[in-house]
Amino acid sequence: MINKKPYVLESVVKTTPDVFTFRFRSQDGEKVDFTPGMFAMLYWRNKDTGEEIGRSYSIASSPNADYFDFIITMIHGMLTSKLEDAKPGDVYYISAPYGQFKIEPNSGGKLLFLAGGTGIVPFISLMKYTESTDLKLDISMICSIRYPYEMLCRDTLDEMKERKELRLAVTVTRPQPGDDWTGQTGRIDADMIKKYVPDVSERVCYICGPMAFVNALKAALTSMGIDGKSIKAEMWGE
Ligand SMILES: Cc1cc2nc3c(=O)[nH]c(=O)nc-3n(C[C@H](O)[C@H](O)[C@H](O)COP(=O)(O)OP(=O)(O)OC[C@H]3O[C@@H](n4cnc5c(N)ncnc54)[C@H](O)[C@@H]3O)c2cc1C
């Protein structure tokens, strides 16, 4: 049984026009053990009626951290509408950890991460974890975003690149005239994976993003002869 406990919202940062990063700290200071890739349930509670709205969020912070970071797209739904008005000091409730999408930091080997939009979040948790350890990772990653301004967590990615643990390609699916994007465009497919990750068959592949993204990339990897056992996926949204 996983406990639901009160957490205080410590900070809210507007990361892109519609994505916010929320940091929550537990009131009792207790740290939760989890593996990067796992998610938490975040609950808003009406103080007067006790009514609750809870949703799942991948944990963006490191398992070493004594707080939870969540990176959330504001879609004006039931919980995200509450979060739009959230202020430091507000109390929310969190239970964690959940999920089978675990990126074992100590498993070694070569990794491929394919991220669609906020699907980057579980991978950031792993990268933040390695910042505070001696682990050396070999990650190839392709991030798919609609517009250049949607790129998240640049600092963490740049640091991983500097440490030569990450080779990153970013593709923009809806390039606009005047957005100054000179890089890769279009959706990730088998050809794009071959171009940026020629050693894909040696890697364990992790995919995270919307359902259509995950299904398309599972099919692409399978068409490239990648064994299903080497493909792990998490999806949310449409
Ligand atoms: C394991 C897991 C991990 C998740 N991690 C994250 C995360 O790290 N960050 C994050 O932002 N979300 C994440 N989600 C999604 C999150 O749980 C919520 O579904 C989301 O925040 C919407 O909640 P809501 O109550 O505001 O919307 P609701 O009131 O529940 O409304 C949801 C409805 O909005 C529509 N919708 C859903 N997604 C989108 C979208 N992206 N754009 C437009 N319309 C949409 C759909 O029609 C859906 O029926 C995760 C989900 C799962 C299952």
Side-chain angles (χ1 to χ4, degrees), residues 174-193:
R174 298 186 197 173
Q176 305 292 308
D179 67 10
D180 280 343
W181 181 256
T182 54
Q184 179 72 49
T185 56
R187 293 183 174 195
I188 304 173
D189 59 11
D191 286 341
M192 199 186 289
I193 296 171

Side-chain angles (χ1 to χ4, degrees), residues 7-10 24 47 82 85-92:
Y7 278 70
V8 178
L9 178 59
E10 189 169 286
F24 290 93
K47 279 187 215 134
K82 302 296 178 195
D85 298 329
K87 291 177 194 56
D90 288 353
V91 175
Y92 279 66

